[in-house]
Amino acid sequence: METLMVDRVRSSLSQFMHRNAIFLCERLCAEFPSELNLQLMATCYLRNNQPYFAYHILKGKQMALSRYLFALSCFQMNLLREAETALCPANEPNSEIPNGASGHHLLGLVYRYTGRRKLAKDHFMQALVIDPLFWAAYEELCALGDAEDANECFNDAVSVRIHLHSSFDSSSQGFDGASEDHNLPLKQDSSPRQSKQLHSINNIPSYPQSSNCVPSNLSLYNTPSPPVTQLSGTVPPPVYRNAYLPAIGGDGPSKPNPHATIQAPRRKFMDEGKLRKVSGRLFSGSDFGTRRSTRLSGDAMTSASLHVSQTGANVRKSSALDAPWFQASNAPSLLLDGGNTEQEKGFPQSSGALSHESGVNGAKELLFLLRILGEGYRLSCLYRCQDALEVYLKLPQHHYNTGWVLSQVGKLYFELVEYFEADRIFDLTRRVSPCMLEGMDAYSTVLYHLKEDMKLSYLAQELISIDRLSPQAWCAMGNCYSLQRDHEMALKNFQRAIQLDSRFAYAHTLCGHEHVALEDYDNGIRCFHNALRVNERHYNSWYGLGVVFLRQEKFEFAAHNFREAYNINARSSIIMSYLGMALHSLKRDDEALVLIDMAIVADKKNPLPMYEKANVLVSLERYEDALKVLKQLIEFSPRESSVYALMGRIYKMLNRPDMAMFYFGTALDLRPPATDVAVIKSAIEKLNLPDELEDSL
Amino acid sequence: MATEADGEEETAGKLSGTQNLAVDDDLREMAKKAAWSVSSCKPGNGVPSLRDDNLETYWQSDGAQPHLVNIQFQKKVKLQLLGIYVDYKLDESYTPSKISIRAGDGFHNMKEIKTVELVNPIGWVHVPLSGSDPRDAFIHTFMLQIAVLSNHLNGRDTHIRQIKIYGPRPNPVPNQPFHFTSKEFITYSTISARSATPAS
């Protein structure tokens, strides 16, 4: 009865019938209380978006998978400390992190959000070691700014460490009888089964051993749905790739899990790989909202690589992406001492050799893709935007034209202040992938800068209709209001975005900018600090803090903050100019000039550093040089009133009232705002005084 | 509701109201930074009614003339425009007719800078605070005082429905001698921060 119930629960889960699953699972737990069943129950609740329930059920449980699921629930409920203790108990510093790569990834996320970067980095790296295809871990490393070269990380050598961790255990079950029939395709069968079995060492251990060596008919029945659905060719959302490798027909390793996990490291290197779990990867994305797409695309690739050859269920011809299955297929047989059922015999050897061959090919292609994407992402996190763009262009066309890649490219153009290009790319993104939300916040800022209020409000409306609960939609809305100078409404919208996802750093930054626009500097500072707490490398917030301090005339602080921003993004000419401005205010004009010159070189199209340079030169009384710079600037930007006004001022100081008059007049013709009009006019008045004095004499 | 009272004399200093409050883009409302007080008021019709953006509520004075509205800032600010909403049709003898505007550092040294006369006004009355000299587009002051010297039909107390005070926007790029006007300058002047619209 138990296996029947478990099977039903699993199949309900894979079919998204949560209520059914929860109900049956509760009956299961009532009838056969065991930690394994509790884990299944927790899974049901996690799938149903009720992490608190899973938390309650698994509190205190010590099995590896339980600890992992418990930590996951804690993470979703933002109880980071408990998550940490579950994954890495304080009094057992050397205990194995449950769930291999995924466990390390989750732990890394916990450390990241509690501000311990080094530890976070270690764990993400470890996750990558265990599973070289773990894109999310690499992404996190990039975000921390600490990723190593993608060519290193995803080079072909690591393909030996790639194994299929599939939830194909079930499929293997189904293979019982039929496996003999197929030869080549089946080699993989054994592998998944083996892997599954190994997994099951890790995972929910097999259910009552008695039912393990199940007669084939039952095992056919019990083919857990998750793999079946996969077999049907659709790539199920990662969440559905069940972690619960059914122990059904879990021939073999009905070994108690804890032992297995602890034993794992001692096994051969290759076995270790097998102990990774798909489920971990499934739950890996921390930003469930924003990274969903990445996760999906990442996992889609891996799931595609999972071959499923199966018997009873649909046959899916293995694609070329045969992961190097179990080169160590020999090893599993070692592990599965007792458990091996008749199906396994005879398979391991042959399948091992064969699968290895084809497996490596598939991995190589996947690694090739990941190398490009990884390198591109790494460079974009280091703000080496031009380089990143070049890297992305190396992708094959059909990969380039996907939502994730295009939105990354769009963001790169945004960082390069090439707003027209960015607009074009983001527009393309929306057409290619209308539901892609990641990066749309940057798009809304691009439209804000281009002053396209129609497009911006349209974007905001669309995003909200796609997903009312996404922070990007509300950021876009906020930008809309901000463009219309309604800073209070803008602020409300950004705060809404924060409420929806407090880990979305950009929303905090935008809030900060709105506060500054409303001249509420204290709140602005607070918001920027919040943003930095979420993501220390959000240079925009450092910049925002610098601007606030500049306004408050706390020049030392301003310089410090601009420098932090500069350290993160050393290519932005705007940051360099501002740092120069701050240094100039601190009277460190030589350093200021150095930076300003760098800024001029960094971006020829940016007029600001040249203007700043003129300012600095004026205060250094190098009037002729200043005039030279300004004349250059006129060629570049002929309709800028402030340039002429400054020139007028310089000529006045050089005691050439005629030229001064000319330039002041030009400045006024360009209709500056009223404050400047007043300043210029009073300057003109003062110009005339010497003439009047002469006249009266 | 209100239309410009046509045919009314609009000499310098005599104003009627307009329906809409037309304010330049480069001005912003300064009232939030100020402490507001009045010389007297009827309970329930006090300062909040002057600032609540609701034209139905009004401030009603309750004492001897002149009735005063005092606006005090923490530091010297530039003020450019004053907007007062009054309605002769609704308020009749409570409608102010002669208003004196004074500025200074505090109650002890207020100096009159402007006087306006209102003739049957309905709607917003724009009072530019500049002197006749274009150089004085702003007044630079700690405190502004609006004194209602007399009302229509010799009413004793006065109703004012809303008051708004405007000053120039600060330069979005701090520490610059002049504002930026062209698109290129403004695009590059900030990173996704809120900036001013360029003059076209």
Side-chain angles (χ1 to χ4, degrees):
Chain A
M1 177 183 169
E2 183 169 1
T3 38
L4 181 60
M5 292 178 89
V6 169
D7 167 64
R8 279 295 173 272
V9 170
R10 295 239 174 95
S11 92
S12 301
L13 276 181
S14 72
Q15 308 271 348
F16 302 80
M17 299 290 147
H18 298 133
R19 282 174 62 88
N20 196 28
I22 290 178
F23 176 80
L24 286 177
C25 209
E26 209 185 354
R27 302 303 109 219
L28 173 67
C29 291
E31 186 74 27
F32 303 103
S34 77
E35 191 161 338
L36 297 177
N37 291 343
L38 280 182
Q39 286 171 353
L40 187 56
M41 187 96 190
T43 315
C44 293
Y45 283 117
L46 278 171
R47 293 276 174 87
N48 200 27
N49 267 328
Q50 292 176 286
Y52 47 87
F53 219 132
Y55 173 90
H56 174 80
I57 295 178
L58 288 179
K59 195 167 177 99
K61 299 284 178 280
Q62 287 305 315
M63 283 170 69
L65 186 60
S66 311
R67 280 164 52 207
Y68 177 77
L69 291 172
F70 178 68
L72 194 58
S73 325
C74 291
F75 187 78
Q76 287 188 17
M77 290 162 60
N78 214 9
L79 298 169
L80 297 178
R81 194 167 291 283
E82 292 196 49
E84 186 185 342
T85 346
L87 287 172
C88 182
N91 47 356
E92 296 166 40
N94 291 328
S95 65
E96 170 88 354
I97 309 278
N99 236 9
S102 328
H104 280 289
H105 177 87
L106 183 56
L107 191 52
L109 285 173
V110 171
Y111 283 134
R112 178 185 161 185
Y113 286 118
T114 48
R116 284 169 284 178
R117 287 178 52 150
K118 172 118 191 7
L119 284 169
K121 179 184 171 186
D122 290 340
H123 283 280
F124 290 131
M125 303 245 19
Q126 188 62 22
L128 271 175
V129 163
I130 299 179
D131 177 10
L133 295 176
F134 204 154
W135 169 261
Y138 188 72
E139 216 175 16
E140 291 292 334
L141 281 173
C142 291
L144 286 175
D146 278 334
E148 46 178 46
D149 204 313
N151 292 325
E152 300 296 316
C153 246
F154 294 119
N155 65 23
D156 289 336
V158 308
S159 58
V160 295
R161 279 189 267 136
I162 297 178
H163 304 274
L164 272 196
H165 354 163
S166 41
S167 14
F168 287 122
D169 16 5
S170 42
S171 42
S172 41
Q173 321 235 314
F175 297 163
D176 294 273
S179 21
E180 284 88 15
D181 309 339
H182 316 256
N183 236 335
L184 207 47
L186 279 186
K187 57 179 170 5
Q188 286 112 7
D189 307 345
S190 45
S191 320
R193 201 170 352 137
Q194 287 157 351
S195 66
K196 173 199 63 142
Q197 278 151 351
L198 289 172
H199 286 298
S200 42
I201 294 178
N202 224 356
N203 315 344
I204 298 184
S206 29
Y207 278 79
Q209 315 327 341
S210 52
S211 54
N212 274 349
C213 304
V214 145
S216 347
N217 50 352
L218 188 50
S219 59
L220 277 174
Y221 265 154
N222 293 337
T223 307
S225 342
V228 172
T229 39
Q230 284 171 329
L231 300 183
S232 53
T234 48
V235 177
V239 171
Y240 283 87
R241 261 185 298 150
N242 202 336
Y244 296 90
L245 305 182
I248 305 174
D251 15 10
S254 342
K255 302 193 175 60
N257 303 355
H259 295 326
T261 29
I262 296 178
Q263 285 168 358
R266 297 194 229 122
R267 304 244 182 232
K268 290 192 226 171
F269 154 71
M270 291 173 281
D271 303 344
E272 214 175 60
K274 294 176 194 162
L275 294 175
R276 282 171 274 132
K277 273 188 46 168
V278 168
S279 61
R281 220 172 346 154
L282 296 181
F283 296 127
S284 60
S286 63
D287 2 21
F288 287 87
T290 50
R291 292 270 174 82
R292 214 181 321 140
S293 45
T294 339
R295 194 158 38 110
L296 279 174
S297 49
D299 286 325
M301 287 204 282
T302 38
S303 66
S305 66
L306 299 181
H307 284 270
V308 186
S309 24
Q310 19 71 312
T311 48
N314 343 329
V315 179
R316 185 156 70 162
K317 283 301 172 198
S318 7
S319 59
L321 295 179
D322 288 352
W325 293 30
F326 320 106
Q327 306 84 315
S329 35
N330 300 318
S333 38
L334 292 176
L335 284 170
L336 314 172
D337 335 319
N340 286 354
T341 53
E342 70 285 348
Q343 303 96 342
E344 311 211 83
K345 299 182 197 138
F347 274 87
Q349 320 301 353
S350 47
S351 39
L354 287 165
S355 49
H356 181 75
E357 267 314 302
S358 44
V360 173
N361 280 340
K364 280 213 169 85
E365 287 163 17
L366 185 52
L367 285 170
F368 169 71
L369 270 177
L370 287 183
R371 268 203 290 278
I372 301 182
L373 292 168
E375 189 62 9
Y377 191 71
R378 184 180 74 91
L379 289 171
S380 62
C381 282
L382 294 174
Y383 298 105
R384 288 168 51 184
C385 303
Q386 279 296 355
D387 301 336
L389 280 172
E390 280 161 35
V391 169
Y392 280 128
L393 285 173
K394 290 193 215 149
L395 276 175
Q397 190 66 10
H398 54 284
H399 278 287
Y400 188 82
N401 279 339
T402 50
W404 190 85
V405 177
L406 284 174
S407 76
Q408 293 299 318
V409 172
K411 279 202 262 196
L412 286 169
Y413 279 116
F414 165 62
E415 294 290 345
L416 287 171
V417 195
E418 285 183 36
Y419 295 137
F420 286 111
E421 266 307 296
D423 180 14
R424 190 180 68 82
I425 298 277
F426 275 124
D427 195 40
L428 180 58
T429 316
R430 300 236 61 234
R431 274 181 279 135
V432 162
S433 173
C435 296
M436 164 71 99
L437 291 173
E438 178 169 336
M440 288 304 131
D441 47 330
Y443 188 23
S444 69
T445 308
V446 167
L447 290 175
Y448 170 89
H449 277 289
L450 290 173
K451 312 253 178 269
E452 298 256 16
D453 44 359
M454 287 289 294
K455 265 187 172 179
L456 181 52
S457 54
Y458 181 64
L459 175 71
Q461 295 288 350
E462 274 207 327
L463 290 178
I464 290 186
S465 72
I466 291 177
D467 185 359
R468 282 188 79 241
L469 298 178
S470 70
Q472 290 90 348
W474 295 104
C475 281
M477 206 49 149
N479 268 329
C480 234
Y481 281 108
S482 187
L483 186 56
Q484 291 161 16
R485 313 277 204 114
D486 186 352
H487 295 295
E488 316 228 317
M489 271 312 287
L491 194 54
K492 276 210 193 85
N493 282 299
F494 293 135
Q495 281 165 343
R496 219 175 266 180
I498 293 179
Q499 274 180 324
L500 287 167
D501 181 1
S502 59
R503 300 213 178 107
F504 191 55
Y506 197 42
H508 287 284
T509 311
L510 287 171
C511 253
H513 284 305
E514 290 302 318
H515 279 299
V516 170
L518 289 169
E519 300 199 20
D520 182 359
Y521 297 124
D522 293 327
N523 271 324
I525 293 179
R526 187 179 54 85
C527 284
F528 289 130
H529 279 141
N530 282 341
L532 286 172
R533 212 174 324 133
V534 169
N535 181 2
E536 219 177 39
R537 287 180 50 95
H538 202 63
Y539 74 89
N540 203 328
S541 308
W542 288 111
Y543 161 83
L545 281 170
V547 169
V548 170
F549 288 127
L550 206 52
R551 255 196 223 289
Q552 291 181 326
E553 308 206 345
K554 296 181 184 162
F555 298 122
E556 281 287 353
F557 288 161
H560 166 77
N561 283 299
F562 285 131
R563 195 166 281 285
E564 290 287 336
Y566 174 67
N567 287 339
I568 295 173
N569 180 356
R571 304 286 177 103
S572 163
S573 64
I574 301 183
I575 295 184
M576 286 190 249
S577 328
Y578 270 86
L579 184 49
M581 272 196 253
L583 289 170
H584 169 55
S585 310
L586 285 171
K587 308 274 185 271
R588 282 150 64 175
D589 289 325
D590 303 321
E591 297 173 45
L593 278 175
V594 166
L595 267 159
I596 289 174
D597 284 326
M598 279 165 67
I600 295 179
V601 168
D603 187 352
K604 299 273 181 315
K605 288 182 273 163
N606 185 354
L608 200 63
M610 286 201 270
Y611 187 78
E612 233 353 82
K613 186 169 181 184
N615 258 333
V616 175
L617 290 171
V618 165
S619 67
L620 287 174
E621 299 196 359
R622 286 162 57 179
Y623 298 124
E624 294 298 328
D625 296 332
L627 280 173
K628 250 189 273 180
V629 173
L630 286 172
K631 287 203 174 116
Q632 262 182 318
L633 205 43
I634 288 184
E635 282 168 25
F636 182 82
S637 192
R639 302 191 62 77
E640 178 55 50
S641 150
S642 55
V643 176
Y644 295 105
L646 189 54
M647 287 182 80
R649 208 182 246 185
I650 297 177
Y651 276 117
K652 182 165 160 237
M653 289 192 260
L654 286 175
N655 222 347
R656 294 179 49 188
D658 45 341
M659 294 299 283
M661 193 63 215
F662 169 69
Y663 281 109
F664 279 141
T666 327
L668 282 175
D669 285 338
L670 289 168
R671 297 206 271 131
T675 7
D676 284 359
V677 169
V679 171
I680 297 174
K681 282 191 175 162
S682 69
I684 293 180
E685 295 286 321
K686 297 202 190 105
L687 263 188
N688 293 335
L689 277 176
D691 297 336
E692 286 167 352
L693 278 178
E694 286 177 18
D695 288 347
S696 62
L697 284 174
Chain B
M1 102 185 218
T3 50
E4 183 132 18
D6 298 323
E8 289 290 341
E9 248 186 83
E10 294 220 30
T11 57
K14 288 202 177 183
L15 300 171
S16 319
T18 59
Q19 184 172 12
N20 298 313
L21 184 59
V23 172
D24 289 334
D25 220 10
D26 56 352
L27 295 180
R28 61 179 173 130
E29 235 249 308
M30 311 276 305
K32 289 206 191 68
K33 300 216 180 83
W36 292 65
S37 57
V38 291
S39 57
S40 60
C41 71
K42 187 175 144 210
N45 294 81
V47 176
S49 314
L50 270 180
R51 299 288 319 146
D52 58 0
D53 277 332
N54 184 347
L55 300 175
E56 311 288 329
T57 59
Y58 51 78
W59 163 56
Q60 176 170 328
S61 64
D62 188 19
Q65 287 175 355
H67 308 297
L68 309 170
V69 180
N70 307 301
I71 309 173
Q72 291 168 285
F73 297 91
Q74 272 191 325
K75 49 180 182 153
K76 259 195 176 172
V77 292
K78 292 196 181 130
L79 299 173
Q80 192 170 346
L81 181 69
L82 182 63
I84 304 180
Y85 191 94
V86 285
D87 191 334
Y88 177 68
K89 282 221 171 64
L90 291 181
D91 296 324
E92 295 174 338
S93 67
Y94 284 95
T95 316
S97 71
K98 199 150 171 210
I99 299 186
S100 157
I101 300 181
R102 303 135 178 208
D105 294 334
F107 287 101
H108 53 282
N109 68 351
M110 302 297 283
K111 214 173 75 144
E112 183 174 283
I113 54 170
K114 210 165 184 117
T115 319
V116 286
E117 263 194 58
L118 307 178
V119 183
N120 296 356
I122 299 177
W124 287 99
V125 175
H126 299 74
V127 184
L129 295 171
S130 52
S132 48
D133 202 334
R135 260 184 295 159
D136 299 338
F138 317 105
I139 51 168
H140 215 69
T141 180
F142 271 104
M143 176 172 168
L144 198 71
Q145 188 179 66
I146 304 171
V148 178
L149 303 176
S150 63
N151 293 316
H152 280 70
L153 308 175
N154 278 326
R156 186 182 82 127
D157 287 322
T158 184
H159 284 176
I160 297 186
R161 293 180 171 256
Q162 196 71 356
I163 297 185
K164 285 199 188 284
I165 179 97
Y166 290 93
R169 285 186 191 273
N171 194 340
V173 186
N175 284 23
Q176 290 297 319
F178 300 105
H179 282 72
F180 293 144
T181 55
S182 67
K183 202 155 168 217
E184 306 88 57
F185 266 73
I186 290 179
T187 309
Y188 281 96
S189 64
T190 56
I191 298 179
S192 89
R194 319 289 98 169
S195 52
T197 34
S200 40

